[in-house]
């Protein structure tokens, strides 16, 4: 048994970042983690492994489609799936070991095992009960399936199983055209699988800017993904080596079915709080099963805080990290703040998709007067040279004040470009501020500047 200032439950991006900040602020800190390695879902079975497979499969796509035109002749590379998985595993290992090193450097204890909270101020791991002035729950989320869909992680898989398939399937059905479905769907499509995405709504990636949704779906179709839209999946049944998915079209209630070697269920995630003992403690939950917290990430039980996917808000690693740093500051008696209005979202397909702030649809609904500045990557010299002219930058600014209200990018390096706009928004910048900032030529970033110019007197290159 040991006493700490802070014990954090969960070593995902929320928990481990929080722990490092707590330690930096002079708090005696421990993290409870039951996985073999640190890093949570994101590093072990989420963001990082999927990015490795996205990168490898994108390289293949480039070799198959663009190399010859650049004068790079030769047979396209063949997929060695065992080696690709080894590369993915190695990428995970480098990252999880990196966190272990940071824990040692910052003198953070790793309490190995699954934690529970028998009482405020106590955390139980195995048979040991440790004490802490502050407990921070950063227990994350788990995939949520559908009724009638029995996940076996072999033929009917979640993102976890999809990152570890024994071979590249010939056919794959993806249930849900959200972030996971489209990222992993495009990995397998590029590796040669025939991918069919079945989505309940009429547009891909719910909540995203409508123009981006349409362009995104068009580009993915061009890449070979098939879409069945407005279709509610009723059930998925594993057969001997395949699975059968049954769905109903919402427009006429007609029932259809499709077979595939693998079915990926990507219909969202739900907070993971099992086994923590929150019921017995009387910790208040929201209607959606999240831990309810106040503006300082404090639950209704004094000394118990929560951050990340297990509380309200977008289920994003960087949102959890920001909350982790902010709650550490609050506990150390300083000011911790997260600006929920400026949290970027990125989809790591090719092209990438990124957004921050309001969508045009939201502004309309709020009755705000706004203007739109849009610029196509076709007018960007660097993008053209790199076969990356598909997509655009769209900036939304207040009609009267020119203040930037949101931005939506589909195109090369969108996930990096978005941060220029995030910083601008944090500083309350106008579109003109961006437009008057010198941007190096030739870069993709010039497309952001051109979109900002389009909010005023107009872009130069269109
Ligand atoms: P999601 O919420 O993004 O998308 C789920 C989709 O499934 C929706 O479009 C929904 O309409 C559809 N759906 C639900 N029930 C259905 C049914 N019966 N039939 C057909 N379609 C149905 O969820 P997803 O993709 O599973 O991701 C989970 C979470 O993980 C999200 O919050 C996401 O932000 C996060 N994530 C973020 C990543 C990133 O930032 N790049 C990468 C992976 C996950």
């Amino acid at each position: 048994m040991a006493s700490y200032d802070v014990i954090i439950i969960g070593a995902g991006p929320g928990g481990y970042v929080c722990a490092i900040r707590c330690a930096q602020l002079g708090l005696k800190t421990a993290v409870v983690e039951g996985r073999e390695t640190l890093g949570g879902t994101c590093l072990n079975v989420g963001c990082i492994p999927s990015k490795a497979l996205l990168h490898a499969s994108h390289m293949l796509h480039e070799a198959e489609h663009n190399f010859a035109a650049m004068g790079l002749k030769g047979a396209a590379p063949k997929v060695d799936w065992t080696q690709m998985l080894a590369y993915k595993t190695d990428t995970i290992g480098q990252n999880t070991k990196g966190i272990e090193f940071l824990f040692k450097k910052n003198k953070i204890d790793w309490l190995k095992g699954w934690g529970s909270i028998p009482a405020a101020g106590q955390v139980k791991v195995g048979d040991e009960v440790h004490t802490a002035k502050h407990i921070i729950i950063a227990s994350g989320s788990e995939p949520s399936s559908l009724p009638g869909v029995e996940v076996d992680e072999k033929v009917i898989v979640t993102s976890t199983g999809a990152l570890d398939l024994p071979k590249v399937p010939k056919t794959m059905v993806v249930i849900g055209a959200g972030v996971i479905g489209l990222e992993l769907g495009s990995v397998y499509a590029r590796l040669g699988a025939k991918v069919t995405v079945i989505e309940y709504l009429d547009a891909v990636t719910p909540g995203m800017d409508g123009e981006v949704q349409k362009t995104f779906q068009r580009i993915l179709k061009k890449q070979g993904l098939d879409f069945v839209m407005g279709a509610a999946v009723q059930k998925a049944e594993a057969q001997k080596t395949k699975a059968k998915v049954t769905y109903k079209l919402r427009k006429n209630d007609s029932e259809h079915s499709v077979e595939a070697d693998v079915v990926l269920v990507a219909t969202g995630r739900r907070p993971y709080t099992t086994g923590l003992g929150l019921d017995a403690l009387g910790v208040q939950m929201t209607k959606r099963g999240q831990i309810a917290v106040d503006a300082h990430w404090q639950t209704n039980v004094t000394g118990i805080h929560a951050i990340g996917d297990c509380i309200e808000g977008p289920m994003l690693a960087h949102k959890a990290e920001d909350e982790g740093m902010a709650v550490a500051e609050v506990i150390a008696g300083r000011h911790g703040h997260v600006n929920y209005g400026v949290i970027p979202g990125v989809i790591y397909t090719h092209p990438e998709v990124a957004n921050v702030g309001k969508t045009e649809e939201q502004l309309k609904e709020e009755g705000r007067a706004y203007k739109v500045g849009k610029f196509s990557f076709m007018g960007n010299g660097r993008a053209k040279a790199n076969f990356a002219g598909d997509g655009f930058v769209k900036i939304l600014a207040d009609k009267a004040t020119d203040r930037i209200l949101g931005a939506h990018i589909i195109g090369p390096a969108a996930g990096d470009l978005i941060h220029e706009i995030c910083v601008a928004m944090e500083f309350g910048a106008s579109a003109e501020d961006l437009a008057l900032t010198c941007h190096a030529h030739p870069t993709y970033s010039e497309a952001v500047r051109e979109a900002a110019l389009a909010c005023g007197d107009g872009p130069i290159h269109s």
Side-chain angles (χ1 to χ4, degrees):
M1 181 195 143
S3 297
Y4 293 94
D5 292 317
V6 183
I7 297 181
I8 297 152
I9 301 181
Y16 86 73
V17 167
C18 179
I20 293 171
R21 197 81 190 108
C22 286
Q24 287 171 338
L25 295 172
L27 301 165
K28 191 177 176 214
T29 307
V31 177
V32 186
E33 174 57 60
R35 264 183 215 274
E36 289 299 307
T37 47
L38 300 171
T41 299
C42 179
L43 264 71
N44 289 285
V45 286
C47 331
I48 296 295
S50 62
K51 258 80 276 175
L53 294 185
L54 278 158
H55 178 66
S57 60
H58 175 56
M59 292 292 110
L60 176 68
H61 186 269
E62 286 293 282
E64 285 172 343
H65 294 86
N66 296 327
F67 273 20
M70 286 188 270
L72 299 169
K73 295 274 168 75
K78 285 209 169 62
V79 177
D80 176 345
W81 183 237
T82 310
Q83 177 55 31
M84 204 178 280
L85 289 182
Y87 149 67
K88 179 211 70 173
T89 306
D90 183 56
T91 309
I92 297 170
Q94 287 181 34
N95 283 278
T96 55
K97 281 191 199 86
I99 301 173
E100 246 181 270
F101 163 77
L102 291 173
F103 271 23
K104 285 195 185 114
K105 182 178 159 198
N106 287 286
K107 301 189 173 46
I108 297 162
D109 286 348
W110 174 5
L111 308 173
K112 291 186 187 174
W114 301 103
S116 60
I117 312 173
Q122 294 182 2
V123 175
K124 189 168 181 224
V125 187
D127 295 331
E128 299 234 352
V129 178
H130 306 275
T131 60
K133 290 184 201 129
H134 299 273
I135 296 167
I136 300 168
I137 304 168
S139 52
S141 59
E142 60 180 349
S144 67
S145 187
L146 296 170
V149 177
E150 199 67 47
V151 171
D152 58 17
E153 294 297 7
K154 286 190 176 75
V155 180
I156 303 179
V157 299
T158 66
S159 50
T160 306
L163 290 166
D164 231 352
L165 294 177
K167 59 178 187 200
V168 176
K170 284 203 170 64
T171 50
M172 177 181 245
V173 164
V174 175
I175 310 176
V179 189
I180 294 182
L182 298 185
E183 284 188 356
L184 289 175
S186 47
V187 164
Y188 286 102
R190 288 174 203 162
L191 295 178
K194 184 76 214 133
V195 175
T196 306
V197 182
I198 305 179
E199 166 58 44
Y200 181 82
L201 299 171
D202 295 320
V204 299
T205 53
M208 201 171 272
D209 186 89
E211 261 183 286
V212 172
Q213 288 177 324
K214 283 198 196 96
T215 307
F216 191 25
Q217 193 180 347
R218 177 180 58 74
I219 293 173
L220 291 172
K221 270 189 188 161
K222 221 167 68 184
Q223 292 177 5
L225 279 85
D226 277 340
F227 287 90
V228 182
M229 305 302 288
V233 168
Q234 310 290 304
K235 60 180 177 192
E237 300 156 292
Q239 294 164 339
K240 264 186 200 144
T241 54
K242 283 185 181 268
K244 184 173 155 192
V245 179
T246 309
Y247 59 90
K248 259 190 184 167
L249 288 181
R250 288 198 296 134
K251 62 178 181 208
N252 55 16
D253 230 21
S254 59
E255 198 169 279
H256 306 261
S257 66
V258 53
E259 276 189 357
D261 296 333
V262 171
V263 174
L264 166 62
V265 187
T267 49
R269 297 180 61 87
R270 59 169 171 244
Y272 180 70
T273 54
T274 315
L276 292 173
L278 301 185
D279 256 9
L281 281 164
V283 171
Q284 228 165 27
M285 307 294 282
T286 69
K287 279 192 197 117
R288 302 183 59 204
Q290 302 141 325
I291 300 172
V293 292
D294 67 12
H296 288 137
W297 304 277
Q298 159 81 53
T299 68
N300 61 316
V301 180
T302 309
I304 301 182
H305 313 256
I307 57 167
D309 282 11
C310 64
I311 68 167
E312 214 180 329
M315 287 182 164
L316 297 171
H318 44 283
K319 174 256 193 192
E321 289 179 26
D322 280 23
E323 288 172 343
M325 284 196 280
V327 76
E329 301 278 344
V330 171
I331 286 172
R334 299 164 43 152
H335 295 288
H337 175 71
V338 175
N339 181 359
Y340 288 101
V342 185
I343 294 184
V346 179
I347 308 179
Y348 299 87
T349 44
H350 195 83
E352 288 184 349
V353 181
N355 63 75
V356 64
K358 304 276 184 186
T359 62
E360 213 177 328
E361 290 73 20
Q362 282 171 326
L363 292 174
K364 276 192 189 129
E365 209 177 292
E366 290 171 14
R368 295 269 303 252
Y370 65 91
K371 51 190 174 172
V372 183
K374 214 175 135 189
F375 187 77
S376 162
F377 278 102
M378 281 299 180
N380 179 274
R382 187 70 179 280
K384 275 215 282 264
N386 296 358
F387 299 97
D390 253 345
F392 56 82
V393 179
K394 172 175 174 179
I395 294 178
L396 304 167
D398 187 277
K399 190 154 196 170
T401 66
D402 196 37
R403 188 179 178 139
I404 302 169
L405 303 172
H408 307 275
I409 308 178
I410 175 163
D416 291 299
L417 297 181
I418 197 74
H419 295 98
E420 172 180 359
I421 300 166
C422 295
V423 174
M425 286 177 75
E426 282 288 355
F427 282 84
S430 63
E432 190 185 32
D433 289 326
L434 266 190
L436 292 179
T437 304
C438 183
H439 285 63
H441 176 74
T443 58
Y444 296 139
S445 299
E446 287 174 291
V448 174
R449 183 197 204 173
E450 293 269 23
L453 279 165
C455 289
D457 294 331
I460 303 295
H461 295 90
S462 77

